[in-house]
Amino acid sequence: MKALHFGAGNIGRGFIGKLLADAGLQLTFADVNQVVLDALNARHSYQVHVVGEQQQIDTVSNVNAVSSIGDDVVALIAQVDLITTAVGPVVLERIAPTLAKGLELRRANANDAPLNIIACENMVRGTSQLKEHVKKALSAEAWAWVEQHVGFVDSAVDRIVPPSESATNDPLEVTVETFSEWIVDKTQFKGELPNIPGMELTDNLMAFVERKLFTLNTGHAITAYLGQLAGHQTIRDAILDEKVRAVVKGAMEESGAVLIKRYGFEADKHAAYIKKILGRFENPYLKDDVERVGRQPLRKLSAGDRLVKPLLGTIEYGLPHVNLIKGIAAAMHYHSEQDPQAQELKQLLADKGPQAALVEVSGLDANSEAVTEAVKAYNAIA
Ligand SMILES: NC(=O)c1ccc[n+]([C@@H]2O[C@H](COP(=O)([O-])OP(=O)(O)OC[C@H]3O[C@@H](n4cnc5c(N)ncnc54)[C@H](O)[C@@H]3O)[C@@H](O)[C@H]2O)c1
Ligand SMILES: O=P(O)(O)OC[C@@H](O)[C@@H](O)[C@H](O)[C@H](O)CO
């Protein structure tokens, strides 16, 4: 079985690509980073440091790489059995035209073998969003063929993988936590269901996507934003700060109450899930900067993402949300010289003030109590 994975970054090399290669799939990474492409094609292998209470170094072997721009990647799309991505939500739209070209070629070559595409991004149904971008790039005829032969499979992906701090400056080495979870929607596959150790199949994906994004990522983001305000550089230092921890835990409990109501999760099991996540944030073997976890604050403050979506859930069910509000206010204070979205947010706040800026990025109602509460919390921090 042949696989093509877009995005040879942290989660690509450290999780999804590793699982596919370990399962014996013939794996090619597609990326735009020439240093990484050259290193993969020179060595065809790299090391994954799995760190936690038990530590091990795994070697991922027999992998190739191709530029995600050009004819080679298009030719591969026409041949492979599985395509996965871990490029970041904003890049999905950029790779869609290439996917469309490859699917056109596949059709022209009369390759009717089933192909499945799985986006492994921190998004609610990211593959379905990618599907819409691909559809826009194809004729109605080509799309009818794609719908028959190509499965667009949504997934939830969980493993904390910060950029590696390789002692040897190896651009391929990656450091990952021991925990990992990749859950895919089995109802969306074309052809036989794949048997890839580490890939779990479910027919109830939304519950898993929301559980992960609105617990781990909600708590992670708030740890980063409050951590930065308190002067911490890493997620571990931030979560060990009792004041930060109390808000983070409170916010995960608030989003948890929404999830319990919506999906019928058992309260004690969900409390154990939160406890485990807090332990993962404390991992002493990972150096995860608040700037990585807080990256792209406009995305994180948008309506469907980890801060505002759970808040909307609490409003829907009439549940408390004081800690989620504190998290949103802290996100509005996020600053980073390297992050264009942080710069944009800063400018927006300077131009329009906190109320209008928050309404613009979050889609929240300007006259809602939630906006008033968030602006009050923002000003209190200022
Ligand atoms: N790192 C984590 O802990 C983690 C965990 C779960 C999910 N995720 C999700 O995985 C995705 C990737 O995150 P990451 O941390 O691995 O980021 P990353 O920046 O380490 O990796 C992204 C990779 O995509 C590549 N890329 C950019 N544009 C491209 C293009 N047009 N074609 C092909 N490749 C391109 C980059 O060069 C880079 O190698 C994000 O959606 C993130 O939310 C990350
Ligand atoms: O990747 P982002 O920017 O959506 O979120 C940053 C982190 O919260 C995220 O990468 C986590 O490490 C990951 O989701 C763990 O599974």
Side-chain angles (χ1 to χ4, degrees):
M1 199 171 165
K2 285 186 184 169
L4 174 64
H5 176 87
F6 282 82
N10 298 320
I11 208 76
R13 295 197 314 282
F15 186 23
I16 304 301
K18 179 178 186 321
L19 275 193
L20 301 179
D22 286 353
L25 276 78
Q26 210 178 309
L27 175 66
T28 305
F29 285 101
D31 206 293
V32 288
N33 182 331
Q34 201 55 46
V35 173
V36 168
L37 293 175
D38 290 345
L40 283 168
N41 281 329
R43 285 155 41 189
H44 302 287
S45 74
Y46 62 88
Q47 285 191 332
V48 178
H49 293 238
V50 185
V51 297
E53 272 167 28
Q54 282 115 34
Q55 315 233 7
Q56 66 190 58
I57 299 177
D58 293 344
T59 301
V60 176
S61 309
N62 299 322
V63 293
N64 292 300
V66 69
S67 167
S68 74
I69 301 157
D71 293 340
D72 291 350
V73 72
V74 172
L76 269 174
I77 296 164
Q79 293 166 24
V80 297
D81 309 287
L82 180 66
I83 295 177
T84 49
T85 78
V87 287
V90 287
V91 179
L92 284 183
E93 190 169 1
R94 285 186 226 150
I95 63 168
T98 306
L99 284 171
K101 268 193 201 162
L103 295 175
E104 291 268 26
L105 181 64
R106 200 174 172 98
R107 176 168 164 252
N109 292 348
N111 178 359
D112 287 349
L115 164 68
N116 289 292
I117 300 178
I118 313 177
C120 307
E121 317 286 347
N122 280 337
M123 296 165 78
V124 176
R125 292 208 176 274
T127 317
S128 295
Q129 296 188 40
L130 175 63
K131 181 178 177 178
E132 289 310 309
H133 296 309
V134 174
K135 185 177 176 182
K136 273 189 218 145
L138 287 169
S139 66
E141 249 187 326
W143 182 248
W145 181 90
V146 167
E147 284 217 292
Q148 246 185 309
H149 302 287
V150 182
F152 285 85
V153 180
D154 288 302
S155 82
V157 57
D158 191 4
R159 174 170 244 184
I160 298 177
V161 191
S164 173
E165 296 216 303
S166 165
T168 56
N169 285 329
D170 179 347
L172 298 183
E173 191 181 296
V174 59
T175 302
V176 306
E177 63 171 340
T178 45
F179 180 91
S180 67
E181 192 174 73
W182 185 25
I183 306 179
V184 301
D185 187 335
K186 72 175 183 187
T187 66
Q188 295 174 309
F189 278 92
K190 289 280 191 277
E192 274 179 36
L193 292 175
N195 181 8
I196 295 171
M199 175 202 267
E200 292 172 55
L201 302 161
T202 181
D203 57 7
N204 187 23
L205 185 75
M206 276 309 281
F208 289 104
V209 170
E210 293 213 347
R211 185 183 68 149
K212 192 264 167 170
L213 200 60
F214 302 148
T215 313
L216 184 135
N217 294 110
T218 301
H220 221 187
I222 296 176
T223 307
Y225 296 132
L226 287 174
Q228 185 185 63
L229 282 168
H232 301 298
Q233 199 205 330
T234 66
I235 291 296
R236 174 175 159 81
D237 287 349
I239 205 64
L240 290 175
D241 178 331
E242 282 311 319
K243 282 190 185 148
V244 173
R245 192 187 189 90
V247 179
V248 170
K249 184 165 176 281
M252 288 200 282
E253 286 165 356
E254 287 165 5
S255 68
V258 173
L259 294 167
I260 288 165
K261 186 111 182 149
R262 186 172 292 157
Y263 295 110
F265 294 149
E266 288 173 38
D268 54 345
K269 284 199 181 144
H270 197 72
Y273 181 66
I274 290 175
K275 192 170 171 210
K276 169 135 186 132
I277 288 170
L278 287 167
R280 291 170 63 198
F281 293 173
E282 277 178 40
N283 192 335
Y285 308 98
L286 286 181
K287 184 178 174 293
D288 205 359
D289 284 349
V290 294
E291 277 207 38
R292 181 192 81 82
V293 175
R295 65 185 170 192
Q296 301 179 339
L298 296 179
R299 167 167 65 92
K300 290 187 171 120
L301 279 165
S302 67
D305 216 279
R306 64 209 69 186
L307 299 170
V308 174
K309 187 85 190 288
L311 172 70
L312 290 171
T314 63
I315 294 168
E316 180 184 344
Y317 299 126
L319 294 165
H321 52 230
V322 61
N323 293 292
L324 286 165
I325 290 283
K326 285 183 187 164
I328 289 170
M332 293 167 69
H333 279 282
Y334 178 67
H335 56 90
S336 163
E337 293 304 319
Q338 284 82 42
D339 188 331
Q341 286 199 11
Q343 300 298 318
E344 212 182 309
L345 176 60
K346 192 175 161 190
Q347 194 58 50
L348 197 66
L349 283 159
D351 292 346
K352 301 196 169 176
Q355 193 203 17
L358 178 60
V359 168
E360 186 167 323
V361 299
S362 69
L364 287 167
D365 180 346
N367 301 314
S368 62
E369 269 178 44
V371 168
T372 309
E373 288 163 12
V375 170
K376 198 171 156 202
Y378 172 85
N379 289 331
I381 294 170

